């Protein structure tokens, strides 16, 4: 059994900077060039009237994807299952991280020994650049160079990282961005749902205000009660305005992460459905084992353990890794429980929706028979609309819980 797709009609309508160890000049210059390229292409795209991701800034070479794949990524339609690819190709943080990783490998090498040797070479270069002068400023400068060289030698001795630990760190950062974008995609619909709920409440408050006016004219309600009802309507209008702003700011934040500019207006497609049979087939114990194997923190610490040169360092890291593995299992179990709770809430919402729809049918018959007033019938109708919105709310929460669980299994579970 599969959930219905969450459509618009249902709701109306890292990073790890190795450059800090040394000089950040080269990285800073690169970022300035990137910003320049972006500005140039934004201008070009603006002039051309195109509102698609900046294809010239794609991270991967053209041959890495088929023409059909590039076409799908470069159209003006945002689909949920495109998010990971759009982040990889067009997110500026990911592109900077990819550049930093390539630069690190070029400058320092790939193995722990390569990196340590580069630190030693840099230390020697710093010491060879000392002036051995006699003036106070020269002596201060030489002392600073000596201290920097000493620090580099200590880093060479203590280094337990290699290119793979950096690769894992950058990969984790990219996955974090994908998770964030997916959450924003869901939040975009969540805010629209909140807006729909607020508008429904606003209609009810307007009805209450109008009824209070009628009662006031009949001497059955005071002026104070009328003013209170009017204030409630005005406060609800302010809430609706705030929610509209949140819908738009979330939309802009999402599309900018994925390569558009904030003023673009790509079509944002419906959210995917959750495959209920896949949820019911989950093997928690097996997923916990997979989560431990995939976890970025565990992998990074295991790599550091493999690179360690002293028994004391190995012993400390081994303890850390074991603690990481336990934490991952706990995180996955917690996410599983949240997923099951969301599933039950969704199923209950569907049941309540069915009951409310049945009540509306009965109320309509009673209204037609003159047994209840139109106002009383409207109460049943409003309740049914609230149950419809509750189903959509439960779907959104179920999808977020499902995605969180899947990410935890795929390496992103908390290991601390």
């Amino acid at each position: 059994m599969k959930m219905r797709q969450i459509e618009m009609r249902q709701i109306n309508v890292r990073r790890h900077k190795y450059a800090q160890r040394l000089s950040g000049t080269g990285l800073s210059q690169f970022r300035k060039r990137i910003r320049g390229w972006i500005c140039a292409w934004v201008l070009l795209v603006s002039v051309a009237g195109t509102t698609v991701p900046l294809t010239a800034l794609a991270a991967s070479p053209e041959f890495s994807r088929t023409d059909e794949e590039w076409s799908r990524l470069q159209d003006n339609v945002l689909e949920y299952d495109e998010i990971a690819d759009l982040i990889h190709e067009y997110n500026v943080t990911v592109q900077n991280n990819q550049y930093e990783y390539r630069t690190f490998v070029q400058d320092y090498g790939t193995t722990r020994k390569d990196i340590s040797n580069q630190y030693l070479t840099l230390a020697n270069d710093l010491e060879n650049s000392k002036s051995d002068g006699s003036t106070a400023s020269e002596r201060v400068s030489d002392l600073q160079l000596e201290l920097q060289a000493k620090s580099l030698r200590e880093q060479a001795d203590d280094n337990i990282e290699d290119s793979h630990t950096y690769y894992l760190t950058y990969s984790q950062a990219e996955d974090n961005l994908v998770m964030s974008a997916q959450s924003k995609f869901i939040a975009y619909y969540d805010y629209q749902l909140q807006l729909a709920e607020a508008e429904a409440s606003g209609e009810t408050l307007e009805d209450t205000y109008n009824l209070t006016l009628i009662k006031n004219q009949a001497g059955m309600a005071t002026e104070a009660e009328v003013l209170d009802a009017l204030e409630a309507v005005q406060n609800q209008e302010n809430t609706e305005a705030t929610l509209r702003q949140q819908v738009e700011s979330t939309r802009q934040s999402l599309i900018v992460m994925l390569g558009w500019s904030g003023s673009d207006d790509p079509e944002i497609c419906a959210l995917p459905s959750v495959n209920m049979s896949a949820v019911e087939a989950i093997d928690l114990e097996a997923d916990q084992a997979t989560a431990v194997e995939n976890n970025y923190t565990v992998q990074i610490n295991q790599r550091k353990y493999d690179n360690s040169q002293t028994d004391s360092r190995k012993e400390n890291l081994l303890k850390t890794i074991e603690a990481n593995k336990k934490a991952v299992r706990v995180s996955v179990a917690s996410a599983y429980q949240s997923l099951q709770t969301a599933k039950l809430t969704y199923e209950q919402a569907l049941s309540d929706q069915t009951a409310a729809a049945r009540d509306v049918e009965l109320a309509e018959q009673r209204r037609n028979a003159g047994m209840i007033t139109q106002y009383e019938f409207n109460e049943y109708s409003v309740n049914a609309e609230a149950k419809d919105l509750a189903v959509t709310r439960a779907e959104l929460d179920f999808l977020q819980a499902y995605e969180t669980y899947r990410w935890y299994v795929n390496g992103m579970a908390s290991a601390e």
Side-chain angles (χ1 to χ4, degrees):
M1 169 177 136
K2 291 191 175 183
M3 284 173 39
R4 306 178 288 110
Q5 268 199 339
I6 304 171
E7 299 177 352
M8 282 289 297
R9 62 182 175 78
Q10 294 174 298
I11 55 175
N12 291 344
V13 188
R14 124 217 73 148
R15 58 202 258 174
H16 189 75
K17 296 182 179 177
Y18 81 87
Q20 287 183 343
R21 295 179 175 178
L22 302 172
S23 169
T25 305
L27 181 58
S28 176
Q29 291 173 344
F30 168 75
R31 286 173 177 158
K32 290 179 180 178
R33 291 200 297 273
I34 281 288
R35 286 194 290 269
W37 297 337
I38 292 174
C39 290
W41 276 99
V42 166
L43 177 60
L44 176 61
V45 169
S46 176
V47 170
T50 305
T51 54
V52 299
L54 305 184
T55 58
L57 291 178
S60 301
E62 186 176 353
F63 60 78
S64 65
R65 297 180 186 273
T66 66
D67 290 342
E68 291 77 14
E69 289 172 333
W70 281 120
S71 178
R72 184 167 181 255
L73 290 181
Q74 294 167 7
D75 62 18
N76 201 35
V77 177
L78 171 54
E79 299 179 60
Y80 187 83
D81 63 0
E82 293 179 317
I83 290 176
D85 288 335
L86 289 169
I87 287 288
H88 183 76
E89 298 295 350
Y90 301 108
N91 184 270
V92 175
T93 298
V94 171
Q95 291 184 338
N96 285 349
N97 288 349
Q98 292 172 346
Y99 173 82
E100 289 180 13
Y101 175 73
R102 292 193 298 268
T103 302
F104 179 86
V105 171
Q106 292 170 3
D107 292 347
Y108 291 88
T110 59
T111 69
R112 183 207 66 81
K113 188 174 181 179
D114 288 340
I115 296 170
S116 295
N117 286 341
Q118 284 299 318
Y119 288 153
L120 294 175
T121 298
L122 288 169
N124 291 335
D125 290 343
L126 288 174
E127 289 190 329
N128 291 335
S129 66
K130 290 166 58 177
S131 65
D132 294 326
S134 58
T135 66
S137 62
E138 289 174 334
R139 289 196 295 271
V140 170
S141 178
D142 288 346
L143 178 60
Q144 291 175 337
L145 291 172
E146 186 176 335
L147 290 173
Q148 292 176 21
K150 179 182 178 182
S151 176
L152 286 168
R153 286 200 169 88
E154 290 174 350
Q155 290 184 43
D157 292 337
D158 294 339
N159 178 52
I160 55 175
E161 296 180 336
D162 56 22
S163 64
H164 191 64
T165 61
Y166 285 94
Y167 172 80
L168 290 170
T169 300
Y170 289 137
S171 296
Q172 183 179 27
E174 182 171 338
D175 280 352
N176 264 317
L177 286 167
V178 176
M179 285 181 63
S180 177
Q182 289 179 341
S183 293
K184 287 180 186 294
F185 199 116
I186 295 172
Y188 171 71
Y189 280 93
D190 191 357
Y191 282 128
Q192 291 190 66
L193 173 61
Q194 292 182 46
L195 177 58
E197 292 171 334
E199 289 173 342
S201 295
E203 292 176 1
T204 300
L205 290 171
E206 285 186 15
D207 288 343
T208 300
Y209 170 66
N210 291 330
L211 181 61
T212 305
L213 275 178
I214 295 173
K215 288 182 176 181
N216 174 257
Q217 293 169 359
M220 300 172 63
T222 66
E223 289 293 334
E225 289 174 323
V226 172
L227 291 176
D228 287 343
L230 177 60
E231 183 180 9
V233 171
Q234 293 172 338
N235 288 340
Q236 194 66 18
E237 290 175 348
N238 292 335
T239 297
E240 293 172 21
T242 298
L243 287 168
R244 291 189 184 95
Q245 292 175 352
Q246 290 175 319
V247 168
E248 179 58 18
S249 63
T250 302
R251 186 195 71 84
Q252 291 185 20
S253 178
L254 171 64
I255 66 175
V256 168
M257 287 183 71
L258 303 178
W260 283 274
S261 67
S263 60
D264 290 337
D265 190 25
E267 176 188 349
I268 300 180
C269 295
L271 283 162
S273 59
V274 177
N275 188 329
M276 192 72 79
S277 62
V279 174
E280 293 171 349
I282 287 175
D283 183 334
L284 178 57
E285 186 174 349
D287 280 352
Q288 286 176 308
T290 302
V292 169
E293 182 179 354
N294 290 337
N295 188 262
Y296 282 109
T297 302
V298 172
Q299 291 185 70
I300 290 170
N301 285 332
Q302 183 63 53
R303 192 73 174 189
K304 291 178 179 180
Y305 172 86
D306 295 338
N307 286 332
S308 296
Q309 303 298 298
T310 65
D311 291 339
S312 60
R313 177 68 67 83
K314 283 181 173 291
E315 183 179 352
N316 288 335
L317 278 168
L318 190 59
K319 292 178 181 178
T320 299
I321 293 168
E322 289 305 311
N324 292 155
K325 292 179 178 179
K326 291 179 182 178
V328 168
R329 293 189 181 93
V330 170
S331 295
V332 172
S334 178
Y336 176 77
Q337 292 302 321
S338 296
L339 175 59
Q340 293 302 313
T341 298
K343 174 177 174 290
L344 291 173
T345 300
Y346 169 66
E347 292 170 336
Q348 182 62 53
L350 286 177
S351 177
D352 292 345
Q353 181 188 46
T354 300
R358 184 171 57 250
D359 288 345
V360 169
E361 293 179 0
L362 294 174
E364 186 174 16
Q365 295 172 10
R366 295 174 65 193
R367 181 198 60 184
N368 293 339
M371 299 174 65
I372 61 173
T373 66
Q374 180 65 39
Y375 182 82
E376 291 173 316
F377 171 78
N378 288 344
E379 291 182 334
Y380 286 99
S381 180
V382 168
N383 180 62
E385 291 175 1
K387 298 306 180 183
D388 291 340
L389 293 174
V391 168
T392 304
R393 158 72 58 214
E395 286 182 296
L396 289 172
D397 292 343
F398 190 18
L399 176 61
Q400 183 65 75
Y402 181 62
E403 290 294 80
T404 298
Y405 180 80
R406 292 206 305 169
W407 274 112
Y408 278 22
V409 173
N410 290 328
M412 300 299 290
S414 175
E416 303 297 335

